[in-house]
Amino acid sequence: MTYPPSTAMGPTTDMGQVSRLITAEGERVSDPALEGWVADVDNALLADLYRDMVRTRRLDAEGVALQRQGQLGLWAPCQGQEAVQVGTARALRESDFVFPSYRESGVQLVRGATPTQLIQVWRGEEQSMGDPFARGTAGPQIIIGAQTLHAVGYAMGIQRTPAAEGARCDEVAVTYFGDGASSQGDVSEAMVFAASYGAPVVFVCSNNQWAISEPVTVQSRTPLADRAPAFGIPSMRVDGNDVLACYGAMRWALERARSGAGPAYIEAVTYRMGPHTTADDPTRYRDAAEVEVWRARDPLARVQTLLQARGALGDALAADIAADADRLAAEVRAVCLGYRTRDPLSVFDEVYAEPHSGLERQRRAYAAYLDGFEEEAR
Amino acid sequence: MTELTMGKALNAGLHRALADDPSVLVMGEDVGTLGGVFRITDGLLSAYGPSRVIDTPLAESGIVGTAVGLAFRGFRPVVEMQFDGFVYPAFDQIVCQVAKFHYRTRGAVRMPLTVRVPWAGGVGAAEHHSESPEAYFVHTSGLRVVAVSNPADAYVMLRQAIACDDPVIFFEPKRLYHAKGEVDLDVDLADAAPMGLARVVRTGRDATIVTYGAQVATALEAATAAEDDGLSLEVIDLRSLSPIDLDTVAASVRRTGRMVVTHEAAAEAGVGAEVIAAITERCFHHLEAAPVRVTGHDIPYPPAKLERHHLPDLDRILDAVDRVLDRPHSLSEVTP
Ligand SMILES: Cc1ncc(C[n+]2csc(CCOP(=O)(O)OP(=O)(O)O)c2C)c(N)n1
């Protein structure tokens, strides 16, 4: 059998071939693949999803502002990607485990990260967000794609965990990664392992069209969702700016994994509205017109329109959501400005779990060196 | 005591670790039905089943990366890299992930992973099958690196590595898989020498030879040959390359005043360079002569027919001994 060459895609992915439940205009439409997974979503839950998206956007704006004011070393904005982050993360159970990339602030927020945890990494105070087991969520991963293997290994661990009273252990591991990451060998290796062992893992690819300056067309000539089936993993391609579609797709994927049917893959087609990080200048490589096309597809606006049309977003609720987001931002700012850097000798802590004579020697030497300054000061 | 080859001793160590602790898993290419290309995992699949002895896809980054996830979940994976030259595709996961998770999470996540590497040359192998990559891993904080040189150590140190809460890169000299020695299979880990300690395998007065792995045997041959010349050489097996037991080496050098370091790996920025620098810092006033390295050349590992020119043999070691003793018939008066 021969395969035809793929059809060329434009600079941004074709939006005609995605599953969607809320249009850019805020209209509720039907999708046969997703409908069953959102049948029980009422206005209250939709408003809750909207609330988390607003909080995520506010957090993101605060992160950018704090970086611009010199309070954070870096920030990786997620504006435009709130729907995929909130929609998928809200579908999880507390007992599921998430391995995200560095851009998933919304996922971290939904998974219970505190204001301190949300900024400490970007402020350069810590390399991670504290104990991952406390929130079932690993810290941000910088090495592109590496975390997908960790999720699969964790899922293999779930398979090897004896469940209470004979029931299957039905936790799921989830990993988030970008369109650029899809080119990494680790992501392909992760899919091989996941499929071969039928591991309970969900791959969430946030295709935000750009990997720093490289368009998705440099990573792939076919929709990314098409890759997974070649590994034996079913996939779904959804409108990543539609929180309801993301929520429904994630429920489909989680249910598959939970029931023992193995891994699933979601390509959420979305767009990064801001720079790659605060160190990036996107005007060097992308069109203002393209950004405007996506601004019209804003993930928050469409939920807001839908809720308003249903009379489910009154002034009081809207004000409460806005105040909630402002409170979060104020907390983030306060902990950021009040952060106290830990003791210098703590750089030697926790390199090893057990004593290491070489490192202990260095620690003693540096402690003595620092003590010298104190003596001088006396 | 039982006489075993090093291969069988390693196999016994894995059996014991799997039997003692249900969180221990063995994973790698061909480790199941085949029992590994060196048969180190022979019989483990039938004894412990496919959920604990896992034949993996052929993807080294995948093997180590999934082991990271399993460690996250509370398992203690023992992964086999089929050959030394194939650890490189897993290098990123080892140095960026395995080595750093404990630090990055300030102790919340432990990585009790053992990466077994059939290691180094002298077996007439094809390209990429005789590499000595230890320095890459020694240079990475967060890893422990050990190299075994005999069946008894192989059995005990493998169990210690698996029991260790830190990741251990475990080098097994292929050249010694069939070498025999006495092994105490009932040894209590609490009574055994800690994994991080070096051992003086032969005492001597005139110079100290520091080495590890298969090169320990070569150094001992050199010491025996030197005896005929009236020389008394001390031989130290480092056993652990991170940390390096500098106390044991320094105590020896303070007595002998002279040191030769030998390993198969290339000289440049290698373990020998580290040992000499550290000992010079500590024992400068005890040294009677500049320490000398005897190593593989700074070249890609040569074709099998030429490898004997690469591997430091007894004569090259004795030549270096002559140099540190300032003996007239040294072949290499000139510092390379
Ligand atoms: C292994 C690796 N290579 C390169 C980088 C530098 N880098 C950081 S982010 C990035 C682009 C990633 O793009 P994508 O996966 O699409 O995710 P996005 O940032 O768009 O969310 C690159 C090249 C890295 N962090 N890791």
Side-chain angles (χ1 to χ4, degrees):
Chain A
M1 178 178 172
T2 57
Y3 292 87
S6 62
T7 50
M9 290 184 291
T12 62
T13 320
D14 179 6
M15 289 298 286
Q17 321 162 340
V18 297
S19 292
R20 176 180 299 125
L21 292 170
I22 307 174
T23 65
E25 291 72 36
E27 202 185 327
R28 178 71 166 81
V29 291
S30 185
D31 183 284
L34 288 173
E35 210 56 62
W37 297 103
V38 296
D40 58 340
V41 177
D42 57 11
N43 284 345
L45 176 53
L46 197 59
D48 257 11
L49 295 172
Y50 174 65
R51 177 189 296 266
D52 277 344
M53 289 160 71
V54 172
R55 294 172 79 225
T56 300
R57 181 159 296 181
R58 187 69 188 84
L59 164 70
D60 200 57
E62 199 63 23
V64 172
L66 284 166
Q67 194 281 335
R68 297 295 184 228
Q69 290 158 12
Q71 294 297 330
L72 300 179
L74 191 75
W75 184 261
C78 67
Q79 191 197 335
Q81 299 181 219
E82 296 90 348
V84 46
Q85 297 193 8
V86 169
T88 53
R90 285 286 303 245
L92 296 169
R93 289 185 191 161
E94 215 174 292
S95 55
D96 296 328
F97 209 101
V98 178
F99 292 86
S101 87
Y102 46 81
R103 203 182 296 289
E104 271 81 32
S105 315
V107 174
Q108 297 283 2
L109 190 61
V110 171
R111 296 294 285 171
T114 63
T116 307
Q117 290 166 340
L118 288 165
I119 59 109
Q120 65 193 16
V121 172
W122 306 109
R123 198 177 153 83
E125 302 285 0
E126 299 285 345
Q127 290 179 328
S128 195
M129 289 184 171
D131 182 353
F133 300 109
R135 299 176 292 113
T137 311
Q141 175 60 250
I142 302 286
I143 301 292
I144 302 296
Q147 75 279 12
T148 59
L149 281 168
H150 306 163
V152 174
Y154 191 93
M156 289 165 65
I158 293 171
Q159 292 178 304
R160 285 161 176 76
T161 305
E165 275 102 54
R168 270 189 69 257
C169 181
D170 67 354
E171 296 163 46
V172 175
V174 178
T175 182
Y176 290 84
F177 56 101
D179 43 297
S182 71
S183 296
Q184 287 281 347
D186 275 3
V187 176
S188 290
E189 295 189 21
M191 286 198 277
V192 173
F193 275 71
S196 297
Y197 300 123
V201 58
V202 175
F203 295 88
V204 181
C205 176
S206 296
N207 175 2
N208 68 6
Q209 315 298 325
W210 292 94
I212 311 187
S213 70
E214 298 188 356
V216 64
T217 46
V218 173
Q219 320 295 337
S220 181
R221 302 305 297 180
T222 55
L224 295 170
D226 287 2
R227 286 196 186 167
F231 290 91
I233 300 174
S235 67
M236 207 183 259
R237 188 152 191 267
V238 296
D239 183 337
N241 286 17
D242 172 354
V243 73
L244 198 56
C246 293
Y247 184 74
M250 194 65 179
R251 279 177 128 191
W252 159 77
L254 287 168
E255 180 50 32
R256 248 191 83 78
R258 240 185 259 301
S259 66
Y265 185 108
I266 296 168
E267 178 192 356
V269 183
T270 179
Y271 195 78
R272 153 168 65 80
M273 294 301 293
H276 168 73
T277 66
T278 44
D280 173 46
D281 172 12
T283 63
R284 292 179 71 106
Y285 53 83
R286 71 182 187 189
D287 241 28
E290 179 187 299
V291 180
E292 288 319 306
V293 167
W294 282 91
R295 199 177 305 286
R297 297 170 179 162
D298 186 76
L300 273 65
R302 66 178 76 181
V303 184
Q304 191 186 12
T305 307
L306 178 63
L307 284 168
Q308 277 164 347
R310 289 176 174 181
L313 188 65
D315 290 349
L317 181 56
D320 183 55
I321 290 174
D324 189 3
D326 284 342
R327 201 158 43 237
L328 171 69
E331 279 169 23
V332 164
R333 173 163 292 268
V335 296
C336 183
L337 301 182
Y339 216 109
R340 290 204 32 215
T341 301
R342 54 189 157 108
D343 177 74
L345 283 178
S346 74
V347 298
F348 294 100
D349 292 345
E350 289 117 8
V351 177
Y352 293 93
E354 298 179 15
H356 184 282
S357 56
L359 193 63
E360 280 165 7
R361 256 193 316 274
Q362 280 199 3
R363 184 198 179 100
R364 278 196 303 275
Y366 194 62
Y369 173 76
L370 290 181
D371 279 353
F373 287 103
E374 266 169 37
E375 257 151 49
E376 234 170 64
R378 247 176 247 143
Chain B
M1 287 287 187
T2 314
E3 175 157 276
L4 290 179
T5 62
M6 190 163 90
K8 289 262 192 275
L10 290 163
N11 179 260
L14 288 171
H15 262 290
R16 181 68 187 270
L18 282 157
D20 284 356
D21 181 351
S23 67
V24 173
L25 306 174
V26 168
M27 46 199 292
E29 297 161 9
D30 305 298
V31 298
T33 313
L34 182 67
V37 293
F38 292 105
R39 308 293 182 268
I40 308 302
T41 56
D42 198 24
L44 301 180
L45 176 65
S46 54
Y48 303 99
S51 112
R52 297 190 62 202
V53 180
I54 307 169
D55 269 330
T56 63
L58 271 70
E60 285 74 17
S61 189
I63 295 169
V64 175
T66 52
V68 167
L70 282 156
F72 241 94
R73 185 73 186 181
F75 290 91
R76 307 181 88 86
V78 184
V79 310
E80 176 174 297
M81 294 287 109
Q82 199 156 67
F83 275 90
D84 35 45
F86 312 142
V87 73
Y88 302 124
F91 193 66
D92 162 54
Q93 284 287 341
I94 294 174
V95 303
C96 294
Q97 308 294 329
V98 173
K100 290 180 179 165
F101 250 115
H102 191 261
Y103 191 64
R104 181 192 291 161
T105 61
R106 297 191 66 190
V109 179
R110 298 213 158 167
M111 283 290 137
L113 232 84
T114 304
V115 181
R116 293 184 34 243
V117 187
W119 166 61
V123 294
E127 202 185 1
H128 309 295
H129 289 69
S130 300
E131 306 273 303
S132 292
E134 61 267 27
Y136 298 119
F137 301 104
V138 172
H139 198 65
T140 300
S141 301
L143 303 175
R144 289 171 192 278
V145 183
V146 303
V148 295
S149 66
N150 62 76
D153 269 1
Y155 176 70
V156 170
M157 286 169 67
L158 183 54
R159 288 176 55 204
Q160 288 171 327
I162 297 168
C164 181
D165 272 343
D166 289 312
V168 181
I169 312 297
F170 192 91
F171 285 109
E172 305 168 0
K174 292 186 282 284
R175 188 159 21 139
L176 298 184
Y177 273 146
H178 297 293
K180 286 186 178 164
E182 294 291 325
V183 180
D184 177 3
L185 291 174
D186 299 320
V187 65
D188 195 331
L189 286 192
D191 300 332
M195 193 170 61
L197 280 194
R199 178 165 42 233
V200 179
V201 285
R202 181 191 166 110
T203 54
R205 286 181 318 274
D206 298 325
T208 303
I209 306 179
V210 179
T211 187
Y212 54 90
Q215 203 63 14
V216 172
T218 315
L220 284 172
E221 283 168 29
T224 306
E227 218 170 32
D228 297 341
D229 238 2
L231 284 182
S232 160
L233 301 181
E234 184 142 312
V235 176
I236 295 180
D237 176 2
L238 285 180
R239 296 169 80 251
S240 170
L241 308 181
S242 176
I244 293 175
D245 176 8
L246 291 176
D247 290 344
T248 296
V249 180
S252 172
V253 171
R254 284 197 189 101
R255 278 191 297 102
T256 63
R258 300 169 201 273
M259 177 168 70
V260 170
V261 187
T262 176
H263 53 59
E264 282 185 41
E268 193 165 282
V271 169
E274 175 57 33
V275 169
I276 290 175
I279 291 300
T280 305
E281 278 181 355
R282 288 183 158 218
C283 307
F284 186 72
H285 295 291
H286 297 268
L287 284 167
E288 307 282 349
V292 170
R293 281 173 290 179
V294 189
T295 69
H297 308 300
D298 289 343
I299 58 169
Y301 198 85
K305 292 291 184 203
L306 292 166
E307 69 180 337
R308 70 183 182 83
H309 295 287
H310 182 69
L311 300 174
D313 61 6
L314 164 156
D315 288 327
R316 274 171 67 197
I317 295 171
L318 289 176
D319 180 56
V321 168
D322 284 344
R323 282 178 59 203
V324 296
L325 285 165
D326 216 6
R327 281 158 45 107
H329 36 266
S330 167
L331 295 173
S332 46
E333 301 290 322
V334 190
T335 303

